[in-house]
Amino acid sequence: MASHRRPKQPSRARVTVLTAAAATAVALSAQVSAHAAPAKPNKDEVKAQVDKLLDEQEQAAEKYNGAKEKADQLRKQADQLQDQVARGQERLNEVSSGLAAVAGDQYRQGGIDPSVRLMLSSDPDGYLSQASSFDQAASTQAETLKSLEDQQRRLSQQKQEAAAVLAELDSSTQALNDAKNEVKSKLEEAQSLLNTLSAADRLSITQGGGTASRGADRVDLSNLPQAGGYAGVAVSKALGKRGAPYVWGATGPGSFDCSGLMVWAYAQAGVSLPRTSQAQGSVGASVGTDWHNAQPGDLVVYYGDRHHVGMYIGGGMVVHAPHTGDVVKTMPVDAMPISTIRRV
């Protein structure tokens, strides 16, 4: 008869080890799942994030424009003050040399009182004329001393002014670099998001329809009202730059940012505009916020912080430089919230 052995039961210790191993495996599996790469964002999600980043980039770009304008002005002012200091030092040296010559002459004369020297002179007939000459010399010496004091005081003031301007320039340069770094950071972040998409999707976001592109360029220019004067020139020049790339900090003629396009277009008409969209939001006369009251050439400034600007061209449209990756184009005037409309 065959014998049947009862299967050996696993020991309690082995069961415990197996159970622990299984639990560990489950925990590790859960941990791996928790740290798995997040789901890839879809096109709409990327577009929303890119729109936000490009708006923030444009805000930083206008900060950069303002800081650069201020730094340029301060640098010019500092150069002028330093030139004044150099010229003042030259004048001070000249006065000092003249005073030194008078002192040297007195030393060579032995420091004798002029009247005593004249009384001991072998030419009494020349006493009066020489006395007059000594009086004039003394007067000249007094004037030289006063001029020396004035030059020293003026030079000291010029040096203080130059030092203050240079200190302000350092601060402005730091603000300029901070704004530049912020722009680059926003652009790098936006590009990183765009790189998760196909080339076609990237192009549709940066130059396609919707918020990211701020509108398509489909206006029929033949139906636009014709503006006259310098406003008409500015409109014509701005429209002539359609297709030029947006480059932050650029004022033409080959590339532009939003405020740079306004500056360049009006400069062609002989009108000087401030550099930033914020400053352009205070130029000229206010037309309010209702675009129906706008005329061709008016500046339409957008958002509460006024970080974007376009030029009204009529027909409910503006021409503007949208953002990095896009080109100068037209869009409906009310495609973004209007902060103010200004007539230059």
Side-chain angles (χ1 to χ4, degrees), residues 22-328:
T24 301
V26 171
L28 287 173
S29 176
Q31 188 174 12
V32 169
S33 299
H35 288 82
K40 196 174 181 180
N42 60 38
K43 177 184 173 182
D44 289 340
E45 291 171 337
V46 170
K47 178 179 177 300
Q49 294 178 63
V50 168
D51 284 339
K52 182 175 182 295
L53 286 168
L54 291 180
D55 271 342
E56 291 172 352
Q57 173 261 308
E58 196 169 26
Q59 294 172 31
E62 288 304 303
K63 289 180 187 176
Y64 169 86
N65 291 336
K68 185 176 186 302
E69 183 178 41
K70 183 176 181 181
D72 289 343
Q73 292 171 348
L74 288 171
R75 194 171 292 109
K76 183 177 180 180
Q77 187 179 354
D79 289 343
Q80 292 173 342
L81 283 170
Q82 287 175 325
D83 286 343
Q84 290 176 11
V85 168
R87 290 194 298 270
Q89 188 65 59
E90 289 177 2
R91 288 192 293 267
L92 182 63
N93 292 341
E94 291 172 1
V95 174
S96 298
S97 297
L99 191 61
V102 173
D105 183 62
Q106 288 181 337
Y107 177 79
R108 285 190 297 273
Q109 295 295 332
I112 302 175
D113 184 84
S115 60
V116 174
R117 289 203 308 272
L118 290 174
M119 284 187 292
L120 296 175
S121 173
S122 60
D123 183 14
D125 293 338
Y127 181 87
L128 292 177
S129 61
Q130 291 187 41
S132 175
S133 297
F134 272 104
D135 287 342
Q136 291 176 358
S139 176
T140 299
Q141 183 177 5
E143 290 175 359
T144 302
L145 282 170
K146 184 177 183 304
S147 177
L148 181 63
E149 291 174 354
D150 290 343
Q151 290 292 341
Q152 288 175 328
R153 184 168 53 253
R154 190 176 299 111
L155 182 61
S156 177
Q157 181 179 355
Q158 289 171 342
K159 287 181 178 179
Q160 290 176 1
E161 291 176 0
V165 170
L166 287 171
E168 189 176 0
L169 177 59
D170 286 342
S171 176
S172 182
T173 300
Q174 182 60 52
L176 180 67
N177 291 333
D178 289 345
K180 182 186 295 186
N181 291 334
E182 186 177 358
V183 170
K184 290 181 178 179
S185 174
K186 298 297 181 184
L187 289 177
E188 288 171 359
E189 194 174 349
Q191 189 60 53
S192 178
L193 283 168
L194 289 170
N195 287 342
T196 65
L197 303 177
S198 67
D201 284 345
R202 286 198 299 268
L203 189 63
S204 69
I205 287 179
T206 57
Q207 296 191 28
T211 306
S213 68
R214 297 195 173 105
D217 197 10
R218 300 172 181 171
V219 63
D220 182 1
L221 299 180
S222 63
N223 293 328
L224 294 179
Q226 297 300 310
Y230 57 81
V233 173
V235 169
S236 175
K237 295 296 183 181
L239 286 172
K241 288 299 178 179
R242 285 181 301 158
Y246 175 101
V247 174
W248 64 272
T251 56
S255 57
F256 306 88
D257 62 16
C258 68
S259 55
L261 178 63
M262 306 299 108
V263 169
W264 180 86
Y266 264 102
Q268 308 315 299
V271 178
S272 177
L273 290 183
R275 178 62 183 91
T276 67
S277 58
Q278 288 85 1
Q280 290 172 9
S282 300
V283 76
S286 174
V287 183
T289 58
D290 185 352
W291 67 265
H292 294 90
N293 297 324
Q295 295 178 5
D298 288 351
L299 303 181
V300 184
V301 187
Y302 296 96
Y303 299 105
D305 62 359
R306 300 184 176 183
H307 70 263
H308 190 71
V309 61
M311 183 184 298
Y312 190 69
I313 59 175
M317 304 292 291
V318 296
V319 60
H320 72 141
H323 56 74
T324 297
D326 212 336
V327 297
V328 174

